[in-house]
Amino acid sequence: MKFKLEATSGNARAATLTMKHGEVQTPVFMPVGTQASVKALDHNDMLNLGAQIILGNTYHLYLRPGSKTIKKFGGLHGFSKFPNNFLTDSGGFQAFSLGKLDKKNTVQDESGIMFKSHIDGSKHYFSPQSVLDTQYELGSDIMMILDDLIALPNTQERIKLSIERTTDWAKEAIAYHMSQKEKGIGVDQNIFAIIQGGTDKEFRQLSAEQLCALTDFDGFAIGGLSVGEANQDMYDTVEWTTQFMPEDKPRYLMGVGTPEDLIENIDRGVDMFDCVMPTRNARNGTLFTTFGRVNIRGAKFKEDSKPIDEACECYTCKNYSRAYLNHLFRSGEMTYFRLASLHNLHYYLNLMREARVAILNDNWVQFKKEFYKKREN
Amino acid sequence: MKFKLEATSGNARAATLTMKHGEVQTPVFMPVGTQASVKALDHNDMLNLGAQIILGNTYHLYLRPGSKTIKKFGGLHGFSKFPNNFLTDSGGFQAFSLGKLDKKNTVQDESGIMFKSHIDGSKHYFSPQSVLDTQYELGSDIMMILDDLIALPNTQERIKLSIERTTDWAKEAIAYHMSQKEKGIGVDQNIFAIIQGGTDKEFRQLSAEQLCALTDFDGFAIGGLSVGEANQDMYDTVEWTTQFMPEDKPRYLMGVGTPEDLIENIDRGVDMFDCVMPTRNARNGTLFTTFGRVNIRGAKFKEDSKPIDEACECYTCKNYSRAYLNHLFRSGEMTYFRLASLHNLHYYLNLMREARVAILNDNWVQFKKEFYKKREN
């Protein structure tokens, strides 16, 4: 990966990542395509939205259709036909969280995670090396390493163990990746480590310093946030953590968040985000606009001829009225899900494009002020 | 409506209907857009498929969002943004069939049908005049009249009554429509009567002769078929009935059918069809091809890199493999529903376009032979 930091405005950063499947201009939001498909959309929809990178979920794709099947189609790009970049997670979070349904199904030890498939109950094992093998088969442009996840609240002892183990696994992962690259495997694939430590400053510093010392990593993520903590705690933790992260590599805040979360964390030096929120909320009737959230199921929209957001240039707003979307939603029509998902993803991707322009123009503070001001009306 | 019969080949016909919202070239299949949306697709999808006319369901649209709401948006065209033609049914079939769930909810008498809404239980009444008022508000290009539907089997007496009542209602409907047009209402809207009589030759002849004598109708439909009778009985009934129908007006076989049904009924002089089959079957995994039906959920497609049908020029076949569609279907991804619906509708619409070319070239018999031959392999 080529990383070029183009501008800063306050702590906000604008950079360009150049990878095998094209450039990613930051700040960037990565739509979630769990099953090699962003829900209700296809690869041309994503291209029309201007998506430069999509997130795929290794756990799901490993189980179905299987990473070996996807490899036969030329990886995620050939399988889904989306030609731009993919980031894949390690699968550890889903193995951990879907395993939690029955505690006996998930076993974590110093070598990895044993879990049962939520589809057919079959047993599987993820190790720091195996999740990379899977991601080599998926052919993602950015691979995430396995980290040792724990339920919170937890004992200080267990939190400390998880940070140590995450560092150990990161060392194993990067060593494995460098050796695989020497064999010609994953040479065009980048690898990110994941900083843990909850909202504890000491643990975050420890994790960040240990991981960022591993300079073969192409980038670093902040994990374990947006799991129910107060927004301000998340913001404070990010602000604290980014100071220990290198300036010349991308910073990815995992699983975040609302438009406000994106703005606040760009403000604290984050470059990359992913979240199911725009697509999931679309399906639930919640649409994002420059003036805040709209619930399209509301009776007041039944005869409203305006688009969702008159300031929006998306396909849905250019074509359809609130009344038509209200009708489709109330009728349970599938067409609604695509139109609403297109709108919400356009909102997120466009917000990032506008943020980038503001940073490049060193106009970030004003941009942030206006973002909030539009929401006050 | 301007009706131009351009060619016949055997009993098969190629015609052009010219209406306010453009030409309809026959034989034509009308995709079903019950709720002012063809399921999983939007108006640009329909334009890209080359759809010249879509069917909307008056019963559903009358109840939700309400025809008065749709009128405020410029009718179905303005509301859904589909700029080509709409045909709407009378709503009688749904009032009858959804009312059947509780016999007490539906009351038919000589003046119309009383029924309860399946959405909120509210009481409504459809008369020959009221269903036209609703369709004036919907602004459809072709309106269907209310007919007196009955459950089969039934007594000869009740069947005879239904034919007489259907004729009476047709007379009321056409008189009402002519008087409304004089007032400037529905002047660009066309109106079709519906021939009933089950599979009984005598009743079909009676109904056809009585209705086709009402020369102010713009076209005639054959109703009450594809309700469980043997295919051959349907074909025989259509063959029998079309001889009593005028040559200079369109003939519409309601609610039919499979690709084979379309071919057999074009062969018997039918011009227009509608059916939920291509979209409903798509959602259930059944895809139509030149070589017959394919169930995309089959395990044999898991690593199949071919498109659904190598002879198909549709968006889905031009872009995606059977393996990807198999994966999306098995994962329950909504993207599947759009891609599969696009394929099946393309198949139906393209079959009609090819049939038309064959008729124009007086090559219908050969075309029909080849249609079946491709399916034998």
Side-chain angles (χ1 to χ4, degrees), chain B residues 101-156:
Chain B
L101 295 174
D102 173 357
K103 290 212 180 260
K104 278 176 250 167
N105 285 342
T106 308
V107 179
Q108 280 167 283
D109 60 21
E110 67 281 3
S111 316
I113 304 176
M114 171 89 79
F115 64 95
K116 275 190 179 174
S117 159
H118 74 288
I119 300 171
D120 63 8
S122 54
K123 273 193 181 171
H124 300 268
Y125 191 76
F126 279 170
S127 72
Q129 294 80 12
S130 82
V131 298
L132 292 181
D133 287 338
T134 300
Q135 293 177 85
Y136 294 140
E137 290 174 337
L138 295 176
S140 48
D141 300 281
I142 300 176
M143 307 182 291
M144 303 304 296
I145 63 161
L146 191 67
D147 47 5
D148 184 45
L149 297 162
I150 50 171
L152 290 177
N154 216 312
T155 60
Q156 291 294 94

Side-chain angles (χ1 to χ4, degrees), chain B residues 311-328:
Chain B
C312 180
E313 299 279 327
C314 87
Y315 174 80
T316 305
C317 286
K318 286 285 169 201
N319 280 279
Y320 299 105
S321 63
R322 291 171 177 175
Y324 187 59
L325 295 167
N326 172 277
H327 165 66
L328 294 180

